[in-house]
Amino acid sequence: GWEVGGKRKRPGDGSPGSASGSPSPEPSDDDWLPIQLTADHTCYNAAEAGRLLSISPACIRKASNSCGIKRVGGSLAVTRALGDAYLKHRPLSFQSYASVAGCVTAEPEVKSHALPEGVVCLVLASDGVWEHTDPHVLSRSMKDRGATASVVVDVAMESVARVRGLDVEDLRKLKQGRGRRGKH
């Protein structure tokens, strides 16, 4: 999902246009609250699972090599994607996935949100970040280290390294490809 983390400025906190002209107090952890703006499009989302099962009961299978995570056809974790045509169109599918062709869609879920006054950052990230990163940990890290894209990457890498029992630098050194993807 897309999440927003930011300091909410309260009336009288010294921010421009506030009642007092005094400097803003140092933000507390309570000031940096993540808000989920979209739903995750996975087999664990009840609406997405219902959509898939209406197409075919074979759409949702647990992957044998991913700790039994529910995936589309046992292959893809997300149910909406720009690529992965083999799960969208039978003529582009492999024989082992032909029965689940049509389960993945590229149709986006479109929402509009008015961001509350005082929100200082908006984090748009892929499922790979949100699968491994606790939004509250990310918000605290952005408060402490700065609200930058590199902090998002660092926090996600730290989380994956911790879960996999690896050093972050060892994780970064893995060559791109199947071996690296298997770690996160």
Side-chain angles (χ1 to χ4, degrees):
W2 300 354
E3 307 217 2
V4 61
K7 179 178 176 252
R8 280 136 180 87
K9 295 181 177 143
R10 293 174 295 280
D13 73 354
S15 60
S18 68
S20 84
S22 60
S24 298
E26 191 62 33
S28 70
D29 285 346
D30 291 338
D31 290 329
W32 285 75
L33 302 172
I35 302 167
Q36 186 166 357
L37 298 177
T38 64
D40 291 335
H41 296 105
T42 69
C43 296
Y44 292 97
N45 174 321
E48 288 295 291
R51 182 182 67 76
L52 295 177
L53 293 174
S54 73
I55 295 168
S56 168
C59 282
I60 300 175
R61 292 195 301 236
K62 289 189 175 183
S64 59
N65 63 347
S66 297
C67 305
I69 295 171
K70 290 181 185 177
R71 294 177 175 265
V72 178
S75 176
L76 188 64
V78 295
T79 57
R80 298 175 188 229
L82 295 176
D84 305 293
Y86 71 101
L87 292 170
K88 294 177 187 167
H89 307 287
R90 187 177 290 270
L92 301 173
S93 191
F94 308 105
Q95 185 175 0
S96 57
Y97 294 107
S99 67
V100 295
C103 293
V104 171
T105 182
E107 183 178 329
E109 177 180 354
V110 178
K111 290 185 177 183
S112 173
H113 296 277
L115 296 178
E117 185 178 332
V119 171
V120 294
C121 66
L122 176 66
V123 179
L124 303 177
S126 70
D127 61 302
V129 169
W130 297 123
E131 284 175 5
H132 299 288
T133 308
D134 180 290
H136 296 281
V137 171
L138 181 59
S139 289
R140 280 192 304 276
S141 297
M142 293 178 85
K143 173 188 171 272
D144 296 341
R145 301 187 216 174
T148 65
S150 63
V151 171
V152 175
V153 172
D154 290 346
V155 170
M157 295 287 280
E158 291 160 8
S159 177
V160 170
R162 187 174 39 259
V163 168
R164 300 292 186 188
L166 296 169
D167 181 73
V168 173
E169 291 311 311
D170 291 338
L171 186 59
R172 289 184 191 276
K173 290 177 189 174
L174 292 174
K175 291 182 180 179
Q176 290 183 351
R178 189 175 298 263
R180 181 170 160 178
R181 279 194 307 272
K183 300 291 185 200
H184 54 78

